Amino acid sequence: MTDQRYGLDRHVRLTGPFRLDGGGSLAEIEISYETYGALNANASNAILICHALTGDQHVASPHPRTGKPGWWTRIVGSGKPIDPDRSLVICANVLGSCMGSSGPASMAPDERPYAMRFPVITIRDMVRAQAALLDHLGIPRLKAVVGGSMGGMQALQWAATYPERVEAALVIASSARHSAQNIAFHEVGRQAIMADPNWRGGDYYNAEPPSAGLAVARMAAHITYLSEAGLTEKFGRRLQGRDAKSFGFDADFQVESYLRHQGISFTDRFDANSYLYITRAMDYLDIAEEHGGSLANAFKGTATRFCLISFDSDWLYPTAESRAIVHALNAAGAPVSFVELSSPFGHDSFLLDQPEMNRVIAGFLNA
Amino acid sequence: MTDQRYGLDRHVRLTGPFRLDGGGSLAEIEISYETYGALNANASNAILICHALTGDQHVASPHPRTGKPGWWTRIVGSGKPIDPDRSLVICANVLGSCMGSSGPASMAPDERPYAMRFPVITIRDMVRAQAALLDHLGIPRLKAVVGGSMGGMQALQWAATYPERVEAALVIASSARHSAQNIAFHEVGRQAIMADPNWRGGDYYNAEPPSAGLAVARMAAHITYLSEAGLTEKFGRRLQGRDAKSFGFDADFQVESYLRHQGISFTDRFDANSYLYITRAMDYLDIAEEHGGSLANAFKGTATRFCLISFDSDWLYPTAESRAIVHALNAAGAPVSFVELSSPFGHDSFLLDQPEMNRVIAGFLNA
């Protein structure tokens, strides 16, 4: 664990059985992950970063398929808030995804892809898989677990499930449960995928995938990642490569062109069944429900330090969701700091240039 | 015009040519409409109601296909804010729709359905078709034009296009232009329809229609008709007909079941191509743009009285959109009253039981 190269693209196969919240189990699981930096002698400098719904383990190194830079190079890097010169930074592709960890596209024991035979998983199942990875790596305890959006849900679930293994949890633009509106948007995406005849009940791995349905799902989701004001600032009613309206059904408006591009390019890098499974895991999230209906109970007696960050224009996981978590942590007597940052860019703000966010992250992690 | 029966389900074929904003024209148009009440001797008591995107002319009489009561019986009826005992109430199915007025499902001169050969239309084209209907009915001037959502867009467009024919305009939960976010949601719906292989470039009238795509479009739109708080109040995270999560992809949550029902039932009553054309017309709406970029110019010197109503939880056409219209009317020196009503039910509030709205409508129309 002393290799300091960036972006190691590691892969491990762990033997189970891994019992899942839904009642099923997996005999073994594969996890693909990246590490940056090195573990210190007493294994006390590990920071786990959890990725979002369509994210991946390539936090600070290029995506192997698209060649794009890592998704959080603003935060992770030498001299940055999460610094591999000081910490071992780990990010694992979540269970159910399609970037190397076990998911519906993986081979089942019968040597055919699981497809919809893959068991439905939860955010807690994802976290348990990460814990198994840390066991494998000889890391008993995390200096911090950090994530935005679904990554924040995992960070929170980490603190609730393994309080003794988490020194600090940083939860950005996230929620402890999916609201009716959150579920509704995900359901639209799932129905779009399942309505695509190429979906074939999930058995498309040797055929044409349901790209049209997946693109529509991504388009709908993308609207929720941006704010109304952000869309207005970015696109307004400006036309795309033309001087006048075409009075047709082409992408006249820039915002249409942008959405179509987001939809189509997504299908090159993501598996439709994984989209079904991960959105389902998020919809099932309700950490309070796992603790007798009280979110405070989930964190009773915890020694973990918490930091929550929300963005004022985020309507997917609005500040009220972060505040509900802060209130529960207060009630549980946990040390917590909370800041709502101002940004016009909605939910996606946590992926963008937000100097104030960087300062908060650095301050919290290096306290 | 003295027949007092309710719900006459009238139909008229008007000879053109009707020139359209997009440059095309229609040699003739058909309009299906309902009337309630009777025109008085000097033809001064006509109120035109304009319907919303997926609405119809059956304001206060049962829908002939679904058997459901008229969509605004709370507002239109004897002793109600819009009273057929005193006014001739007219509602016409909009151009481009599928309830009897000319649209993509209509027969073209070559005796085949227009499908995508139907010209792209605008809100102003819809209004011009209604004006032609009023000419046919011998109604030179409206006591009032009234509408919610896309109906409000038409009411506003009526006042801008035919100021001398509109005594009063009542615009509810609406906007003078479609925002980037509005366009984005519509584009998702259109892409869902066009991604359905049954759409076949619009030529499905002798085959299976693109119901799956249309259902997804309707589901996405439906989320925008309700508020986050309204969805939470109505559904929360309650399960549908079960005691525990199924850990599968059925509609576990009530909100999923509700959305699926909304999507599927919509396909029984609406034509997918009409959905494309009418959403496009709404996206093209920008009344200021038609008047040199100034909304105030659209209403300069008008004698029309205006009333605007918005709902505080409407995030599709939020209060800010109504306020922008009010500011323009103020700048134009037009008489205008404006009220933002409180309701947890989002955009759809204008269709629901809102006693305060009823009082405002009655007060304005009978002033």
Side-chain angles (χ1 to χ4, degrees):
Chain A
M1 300 302 302
T2 53
D3 197 316
Q4 298 234 13
R5 281 178 301 152
Y6 272 24
L8 287 173
D9 214 358
R10 296 167 187 265
H11 184 89
V12 66
R13 190 182 290 263
L14 302 171
T15 306
F18 293 93
R19 301 201 182 288
L20 303 166
D21 276 334
S25 77
L26 288 165
E28 61 167 32
I29 56 173
E30 292 179 77
I31 301 180
S32 278
Y33 63 105
E34 290 266 19
T35 62
Y36 310 89
L39 195 63
N40 62 11
N42 54 355
S44 67
N45 70 333
I47 296 180
L48 178 69
I49 295 178
C50 304
H51 69 72
L53 165 51
T54 68
D56 54 58
Q57 63 272 37
H58 310 292
V59 183
S61 39
H63 189 289
R65 211 172 304 175
T66 67
K68 286 189 182 166
W71 54 269
W72 228 16
T73 51
R74 287 189 175 90
I75 303 296
V76 179
S78 193
K80 294 184 179 167
I82 298 178
D83 189 340
D85 297 344
R86 297 196 282 171
S87 305
L88 171 68
V89 181
I90 306 162
C91 184
N93 187 221
V94 297
L95 194 64
S97 186
C98 50
M99 293 299 293
S101 293
S102 296
S106 302
M107 286 297 158
D110 65 0
E111 298 297 322
R112 294 189 301 117
Y114 276 105
M116 300 305 284
R117 300 178 300 157
F118 196 77
V120 166
I121 53 164
T122 64
I123 299 291
R124 188 158 57 179
D125 292 327
M126 294 176 186
V127 163
R128 288 193 187 109
Q130 290 160 356
L133 172 65
L134 295 194
D135 292 343
H136 167 78
L137 296 175
I139 299 169
R141 185 172 154 86
L142 290 166
K143 186 183 162 198
V145 56
V146 179
S149 196
M150 188 183 83
M153 296 173 188
Q154 294 164 67
L156 210 56
Q157 186 78 71
W158 255 101
T161 310
Y162 302 108
E164 73 289 347
R165 297 186 76 164
V166 180
E167 202 170 304
L170 177 50
V171 178
I172 307 171
S174 192
S175 174
R177 44 160 241 167
H178 241 209
S179 72
Q181 192 183 67
N182 294 152
I183 296 170
F185 273 111
H186 274 176
E187 175 66 2
V188 168
R190 286 190 294 263
Q191 291 296 317
I193 290 167
M194 292 174 164
D196 188 328
N198 285 344
W199 181 61
R200 297 183 187 84
D203 291 323
Y204 54 78
Y205 291 110
N206 292 312
E208 202 61 39
S211 301
L214 182 60
V216 169
R218 178 66 168 173
M219 288 174 66
H222 234 281
I223 301 176
T224 70
Y225 301 154
L226 303 166
S227 69
E228 198 270 340
L231 280 168
T232 297
E233 185 175 319
K234 200 165 178 173
F235 306 111
R237 292 182 49 82
R238 283 188 293 281
L239 301 177
Q240 175 69 28
R242 62 197 72 191
D243 295 326
K245 290 178 276 197
S246 72
F247 292 100
F249 292 93
D250 285 350
D252 265 17
F253 295 103
Q254 285 182 7
V255 66
E256 295 176 304
S257 173
Y258 169 80
L259 277 184
R260 290 188 190 183
H261 172 76
Q262 292 294 335
I264 291 164
S265 62
F266 181 59
T267 65
D268 290 338
R269 69 173 177 90
F270 214 81
D271 176 52
N273 284 341
S274 279
Y275 197 82
L276 299 178
Y277 276 86
I278 301 178
T279 56
R280 201 58 172 155
M282 294 171 79
D283 290 350
Y284 277 152
L285 183 74
D286 185 352
I287 297 179
E289 191 196 50
E290 299 163 5
H291 297 268
S294 157
L295 190 57
N297 279 351
F299 304 106
K300 217 168 165 179
T302 186
T304 304
R305 294 189 303 121
F306 290 85
C307 177
L308 280 99
I309 300 173
S310 71
F311 294 94
D312 58 358
S313 59
D314 182 352
W315 60 279
L316 185 64
Y317 304 124
T319 291
E321 300 293 338
S322 290
R323 199 171 281 129
I325 297 167
V326 172
H327 288 168
L329 291 168
N330 285 336
V336 53
S337 64
F338 168 47
V339 60
E340 180 190 53
L341 298 178
S342 189
S343 158
F345 300 112
H347 181 65
D348 263 358
S349 298
F350 80 96
L351 295 170
L352 305 175
D353 187 28
Q354 295 285 338
E356 190 60 34
M357 176 177 77
N358 292 23
R359 278 190 288 274
V360 173
I361 295 175
F364 176 70
L365 294 181
N366 305 312
Chain B
M1 299 306 302
T2 54
D3 196 317
Q4 297 234 9
R5 282 178 301 152
Y6 271 24
L8 288 174
D9 214 357
R10 296 167 187 266
H11 184 88
V12 68
R13 190 182 290 263
L14 302 171
T15 305
F18 293 92
R19 302 204 181 283
L20 302 165
D21 276 334
S25 77
L26 289 165
E28 61 167 31
I29 56 173
E30 293 179 77
I31 300 180
S32 279
Y33 63 104
E34 291 265 19
T35 63
Y36 311 88
L39 195 64
N40 61 11
N42 55 355
S44 67
N45 70 334
I47 296 181
L48 178 69
I49 296 178
C50 303
H51 69 71
L53 165 52
T54 68
D56 53 58
Q57 63 272 37
H58 311 293
V59 183
S61 39
H63 189 288
R65 211 173 303 176
T66 67
K68 286 189 181 165
W71 55 268
W72 229 16
T73 52
R74 287 189 175 90
I75 303 295
V76 180
S78 193
K80 294 183 178 165
I82 299 178
D83 190 340
D85 297 343
R86 297 197 282 170
S87 304
L88 170 68
V89 181
I90 306 162
C91 184
N93 187 221
V94 297
L95 194 65
S97 187
C98 50
M99 293 299 294
S101 294
S102 295
S106 303
M107 286 298 159
D110 65 0
E111 298 297 323
R112 293 188 302 117
Y114 277 103
M116 300 304 285
R117 299 178 300 157
F118 196 76
V120 166
I121 53 165
T122 64
I123 299 290
R124 189 159 57 180
D125 292 327
M126 295 177 187
V127 163
R128 289 194 187 109
Q130 291 160 357
L133 172 66
L134 296 193
D135 291 344
H136 166 79
L137 297 175
I139 299 169
R141 186 173 155 86
L142 290 165
K143 186 183 161 196
V145 56
V146 179
S149 195
M150 188 184 84
M153 296 174 187
Q154 294 164 68
L156 211 54
Q157 187 78 70
W158 255 100
T161 310
Y162 301 108
E164 73 289 348
R165 295 186 77 165
V166 180
E167 204 170 302
L170 177 51
V171 178
I172 308 171
S174 192
S175 175
R177 43 161 242 167
H178 242 210
S179 72
Q181 191 183 65
N182 295 152
I183 296 170
F185 274 111
H186 274 177
E187 175 66 2
V188 168
R190 286 190 293 263
Q191 290 298 316
I193 291 167
M194 292 175 164
D196 187 328
N198 284 344
W199 181 60
R200 295 184 189 84
D203 291 323
Y204 54 78
Y205 291 109
N206 293 311
E208 203 60 40
S211 300
L214 182 59
V216 169
R218 178 65 169 173
M219 289 174 66
H222 234 282
I223 302 176
T224 70
Y225 301 155
L226 303 166
S227 69
E228 200 270 339
L231 280 169
T232 296
E233 185 176 318
K234 200 166 177 175
F235 306 111
R237 292 182 49 83
R238 284 188 292 282
L239 302 177
Q240 175 70 26
R242 62 197 71 192
D243 295 327
K245 290 177 277 199
S246 72
F247 291 100
F249 291 93
D250 285 348
D252 265 17
F253 295 103
Q254 286 181 7
V255 67
E256 295 176 304
S257 174
Y258 169 80
L259 277 183
R260 289 188 191 184
H261 172 76
Q262 293 295 334
I264 292 164
S265 62
F266 182 59
T267 64
D268 290 338
R269 69 173 176 90
F270 214 81
D271 176 51
N273 284 341
S274 280
Y275 197 83
L276 300 178
Y277 276 85
I278 301 178
T279 56
R280 201 56 172 156
M282 294 172 79
D283 291 350
Y284 277 152
L285 182 75
D286 186 351
I287 297 179
E289 190 195 50
E290 298 163 7
H291 296 268
S294 157
L295 190 57
N297 279 353
F299 304 106
K300 218 168 165 179
T302 186
T304 304
R305 294 189 301 122
F306 291 84
C307 176
L308 280 99
I309 301 174
S310 71
F311 293 95
D312 58 358
S313 60
D314 183 351
W315 60 278
L316 185 65
Y317 304 124
T319 290
E321 299 294 336
S322 289
R323 199 170 283 129
I325 298 167
V326 171
H327 288 168
L329 291 168
N330 285 337
V336 53
S337 65
F338 167 47
V339 59
E340 180 191 53
L341 298 178
S342 189
S343 159
F345 300 112
H347 181 65
D348 263 357
S349 298
F350 81 96
L351 295 169
L352 306 175
D353 187 28
Q354 295 286 336
E356 192 58 36
M357 177 177 76
N358 292 24
R359 277 190 287 275
V360 173
I361 295 175
F364 176 70
L365 293 182
N366 305 311

